[in-house]
Amino acid sequence: MTQQYRAYLVGENDVFRSAEAFEAPSDSSALTYARQFTRHGKVELWQLGRKIAVLESEQSRPPPPERSRPTLTRQ
């Protein structure tokens, strides 16, 4: 059974800029779907009157830590 969700793109001063309505079988599935919109800014995920999460913009996230590469030594 699917549920109705909305992903709201949040602009400056926390004003909603746009919304995307969709259906998902669970909150975790809805979160996965809503993450795609974070490239445009901060996103709030709602299921009816229940706020599920606030997802930060991809631009505001720090870059992932660099992984150090093992040094190869010849023997």
Side-chain angles (χ1 to χ4, degrees), residues 8-37:
Y8 292 95
L9 183 59
V10 181
E12 292 182 30
N13 300 320
D14 291 330
V15 175
F16 290 138
R17 292 180 17 205
S18 62
E20 175 77 20
F22 62 96
E23 293 184 356
S26 67
D27 289 354
S28 61
S29 295
L31 276 165
T32 300
Y33 181 81
R35 279 192 182 93
Q36 70 179 307
F37 301 111

Side-chain angles (χ1 to χ4, degrees), residues 5-74:
Y5 291 89
R6 286 189 187 267
Y8 292 95
L9 183 59
V10 181
E12 292 182 30
N13 300 320
D14 291 330
V15 175
F16 290 138
R17 292 180 17 205
S18 62
E20 175 77 20
F22 62 96
E23 293 184 356
S26 67
D27 289 354
S28 61
S29 295
L31 276 165
T32 300
Y33 181 81
R35 279 192 182 93
Q36 70 179 307
F37 301 111
T38 60
R39 64 178 172 248
H40 301 293
K42 184 167 82 171
V43 173
E44 286 190 11
L45 176 63
W46 289 75
Q47 192 270 321
L48 300 176
R50 181 173 64 101
K51 185 191 279 188
I52 306 297
V54 176
L55 305 171
E56 292 301 319
S57 167
E58 284 184 4
Q59 291 90 17
S60 68
R61 283 189 229 151
E66 289 187 31
R67 294 183 181 175
S68 60
R69 299 180 86 182
T71 306
L72 297 176
T73 56
R74 295 185 182 229

